[in-house]
Amino acid sequence: MGPDTSTSTSATAWPFFKALGNAKLKFLAVFLTVSTILLLTLYSSGLSEKISIGAKNELANEQDYWTWETRTRFQKSSSVNDGDSTNNSQNATCDTFPSDVLSRVQIILKTSATENPDRVNTHMASVTRCISNLLVVSDKETEIHGHHVHDILADLPFSSRNQIPEFEGYDALQRGENNITGAAGWKLDRFKFLPMVERAKKVNPGAEWYVFLETDTYFVWDNLFRMLEQFNSSIPLYMGSPAPGRDIDGKVIWFAYGGSGFVLSRAAVDTLVAREIGKYGQFIGQSLSEQYMQAVTDDCCGDSVLGFVLYEKGIELSGMWPMFNAHPLDSIPFGDDQHWCQPAISMHKSKLSDMTGLADWEDQRDRTKPLLYADLVDYHGLGKLPERKGWDNGAWGGIIE
């Protein structure tokens, strides 16, 4: 799932954000020369047949890519930092959040009753604190921070799961037993991917985009909303960080790594959940989850099965790495040929301190331009660190500082 494998997919697409040169990038001149126009390369092969008319017109002028003029949807904060409480600070933050976007974008957060409550609480107090329409899906019905938590495994018919050992843990959760381990919850996790798509469509059938993330995923909402404005949701689109999945007749089926988060367009979701209907309007075909129950049982990972199902229905992944990133903040593989000038949308396995820290730091920055990976130098404060002897900097590129 690392960068070397993910960029080999023919479905990889690198959308462009066009922004004026950032003075902060001068600090990084030792690593690469920065053009005054920041571009993300979107290869016309793979995605070019699935994009909007306007985008195709731009592709006619640019052989392998186009440039996007993007704008933030966030409002400028009018509040003054005068020692307000944390709640007031959070309210001020959410006042600047573009809530109108949520009428078109449904956010789905996947969790488990066995997950560390600190992680769930931290995520909802930072990354998803302003998502008023947040759909939380899990393996047990409950309430968390004012959000109803949907038990989506309850949608699976008993006849489909009664012979699957992993569901013994699920049944124990429903009985209220408190000795269920996180490992048992992880084994159940793969069964959530297909029903959570079905539940998202049921809860918000009018959404244009469905965005799925996990409780250790950090999202840069500003960059996500900028990107989605460049695409047509009536086209079946499946976007995320590519990982190699099943091999079918010598062809690798790429799927969006769930930990990095992924996006489905309305047309893609409609294609997924479509069922055969009888002459009187009744469903006569199985639901998506029922159709592929055995495939999920036989696989290790639900995100891999989702990618396979989409492929079977004619929808291939539009790989958008490194904007959707499988790395946590402290192990992004920077280097001379890496992605300093790419916009960041997501990071996986985020520390709790980074969730809150990044969310607060983003609130203070000027969102006139998209957040680039290079800008994260400011968050780390690398230019202000004193000299450290024998410091292991990760050395992704074999360079020892």
Side-chain angles (χ1 to χ4, degrees):
M1 297 181 190
D4 291 336
T5 58
S6 64
T7 53
S8 62
T9 173
S10 63
T12 299
W14 302 75
F16 277 55
F17 284 88
K18 183 179 181 182
L20 294 177
N22 191 328
K24 298 173 186 174
L25 297 180
K26 294 179 181 178
F27 174 79
L28 305 171
V30 295
F31 296 98
L32 78 168
T33 302
V34 179
S35 142
T36 54
I37 299 178
L38 302 173
L39 300 176
L40 278 172
T41 304
L42 172 64
Y43 295 104
S44 57
S45 61
L47 187 61
S48 60
E49 295 304 314
K50 306 176 184 179
I51 58 180
S52 65
I53 299 299
K56 284 186 176 180
N57 290 338
E58 289 205 46
L59 278 174
N61 299 322
E62 300 287 350
Q63 182 176 359
D64 293 324
Y65 59 85
W66 75 79
T67 58
W68 289 346
E69 290 280 3
T70 65
R71 61 186 179 89
T72 185
R73 297 300 301 268
F74 280 72
Q75 304 298 315
K76 290 185 178 180
S77 177
S78 59
S79 63
V80 178
N81 186 4
D82 57 359
D84 285 348
S85 67
T86 302
N87 278 342
N88 287 338
S89 177
Q90 179 168 324
N91 290 338
T93 294
C94 292
D95 285 344
T96 69
F97 191 88
S99 298
D100 60 305
V101 173
L102 299 179
S103 64
R104 306 190 308 277
V105 181
Q106 178 61 57
I107 313 296
I108 302 95
L109 177 65
K110 178 168 64 67
T111 184
S112 169
T114 63
E115 194 160 14
N116 184 340
D118 289 343
R119 178 166 295 284
V120 180
N121 293 336
T122 300
H123 200 278
M124 289 190 168
S126 57
V127 184
T128 48
R129 60 186 168 182
C130 300
I131 309 299
S132 57
N133 70 337
L134 184 67
L135 172 60
V136 187
V137 298
S138 183
D139 41 30
K140 188 173 183 179
E141 209 86 7
T142 185
E143 299 283 332
I144 302 178
H145 293 283
H147 294 285
H148 181 74
V149 179
H150 298 252
D151 174 12
I152 52 172
L153 296 183
D155 295 343
L156 302 175
F158 181 78
S159 59
S160 298
R161 62 175 179 83
N162 63 345
Q163 299 298 321
I164 301 174
E166 287 86 345
F167 280 90
E168 294 177 6
Y170 171 76
D171 292 334
L173 279 173
Q174 310 318 305
R175 292 192 297 267
E177 297 181 18
N178 56 9
N179 59 345
I180 310 304
T181 65
W186 186 86
K187 290 179 181 179
L188 282 169
D189 186 76
R190 70 185 190 275
F191 294 95
K192 299 174 186 171
F193 281 81
L194 299 183
M196 77 178 177
V197 175
E198 293 177 298
R199 182 62 67 95
K201 180 64 179 179
K202 182 178 180 180
V203 169
N204 191 352
E208 294 180 20
W209 301 101
Y210 296 86
V211 180
F212 300 84
L213 70 160
E214 302 182 0
T215 54
D216 60 353
T217 312
Y218 186 86
F219 254 67
V220 180
W221 299 113
D222 183 34
N223 283 352
L224 175 73
F225 298 153
R226 287 173 185 259
M227 185 193 76
L228 292 181
E229 285 191 343
Q230 315 308 316
F231 288 94
N232 186 344
S233 63
S234 64
I235 304 299
L237 290 172
Y238 170 41
M239 311 177 192
S241 178
R246 299 185 177 201
D247 188 311
I248 299 180
D249 298 327
K251 178 179 179 178
V252 174
I253 307 304
W254 295 85
F255 67 92
Y257 178 46
S260 303
F262 59 92
V263 178
L264 290 170
S265 68
R266 176 174 55 199
V269 170
D270 287 346
T271 300
L272 275 176
V273 303
R275 295 174 63 178
E276 188 178 357
I277 300 175
K279 62 184 292 186
Y280 300 109
Q282 79 279 20
F283 289 123
I284 59 175
Q286 291 181 314
S287 70
L288 174 68
S289 299
E290 291 175 292
Q291 291 175 53
Y292 289 93
M293 191 70 176
Q294 190 60 52
V296 178
T297 304
D298 295 340
D299 206 299
C300 72
C301 307
D303 46 5
S304 172
V305 175
L306 177 60
F308 167 69
V309 174
L310 283 159
Y311 175 81
E312 280 210 326
K313 294 181 180 293
I315 304 171
E316 294 192 43
L317 175 67
S318 299
M320 293 186 173
W321 185 91
M323 291 196 298
F324 291 84
N325 201 320
H327 293 280
L329 177 66
D330 58 359
S331 66
I332 294 170
F334 287 124
D336 289 352
D337 57 351
Q338 295 296 336
H339 42 278
W340 292 107
C341 302
Q342 314 284 17
I345 287 180
S346 72
M347 287 165 274
H348 184 220
K349 293 187 181 299
S350 300
K351 296 178 181 178
L352 302 188
S353 58
D354 284 333
M355 284 188 188
T356 56
L358 275 169
D360 292 340
W361 177 76
E362 273 202 86
D363 290 339
Q364 301 302 317
R365 71 179 295 271
D366 180 6
R367 287 191 171 97
T368 303
K369 300 174 184 176
L371 172 64
L372 309 182
Y373 280 103
D375 296 322
L376 294 176
V377 170
D378 285 350
Y379 173 74
H380 284 300
L382 295 181
K384 301 175 183 178
L385 288 177
E387 180 180 0
R388 294 185 181 178
K389 297 294 184 183
W391 180 46
D392 179 5
N393 68 335
W396 280 92
I399 301 170
I400 304 299
E401 294 293 344

